[in-house]
Each structure stands twice: as structure tokens, then as C-alpha cells.
Amino acid sequence: MKVKLNGLEYETNEKTTLKIFLSEKLKSLDKIVVEHNYNIIDKKDLEKIILNDDDIIEVLKFVGGG
């Protein structure tokens, strides 16, 4: 099954949760905002969402600096 993360296409297994997928692709789930199929997702709901073929995921990371 294919999903897009920040514009890049990835293969993943069926019944993979959004949390598991992001944990495999990102170093940390801290200080991020996740959009799944154009909806902002609360972090506590990441493990409730099962990915489907052609899902679109966008992740924004917050970084400090000045």
C-alpha cells in the first residue's frame, strides 16, 4: 500500500497506524504537527488512525532559533 509523506511516496503494510508509520520515518514525534488527508491530527489520536492506500500525510517540525 502506498502513502505520501511530505510529498514523497512510501510503501507500508496494511493496518499500520499513523503513529507506527511516523515513528519509523521520523527521529522524534516531539514538536511536530501532523496533517492526515487535510485534517490536523491531535497527537493522542495518532495511534487510532489506520492508514489506507493513497493517504496524504504532511508533517511540520518546530525548531527554535533566532
Side-chain angles (χ1 to χ4, degrees):
M1 154 172 102
K2 295 178 184 178
V3 297
K4 282 191 177 180
L5 172 60
N6 292 344
L8 300 175
E9 199 167 89
Y10 293 90
E11 288 284 336
T12 191
N13 298 325
E14 290 184 24
K15 299 188 180 183
T16 299
T17 66
L18 185 52
K19 184 175 184 177
I20 290 171
F21 177 77
L22 291 176
S23 295
E24 292 172 354
K25 302 300 178 202
L26 306 174
K27 293 179 182 178
S28 172
L29 299 183
D30 294 333
K31 299 179 185 175
I32 63 169
V33 174
V34 178
E35 180 184 281
H36 174 252
N37 294 332
Y38 308 106
N39 296 301
I40 302 295
I41 305 300
D42 193 313
K43 281 190 183 178
K44 67 180 183 199
D45 295 330
L46 291 176
E47 59 192 30
K48 297 177 185 176
I49 296 173
I50 306 295
L51 295 177
N52 295 301
D53 201 30
D54 295 324
D55 277 359
I56 299 171
I57 305 158
E58 295 290 331
V59 175
L60 298 174
K61 296 179 187 180
F62 292 95
V63 289

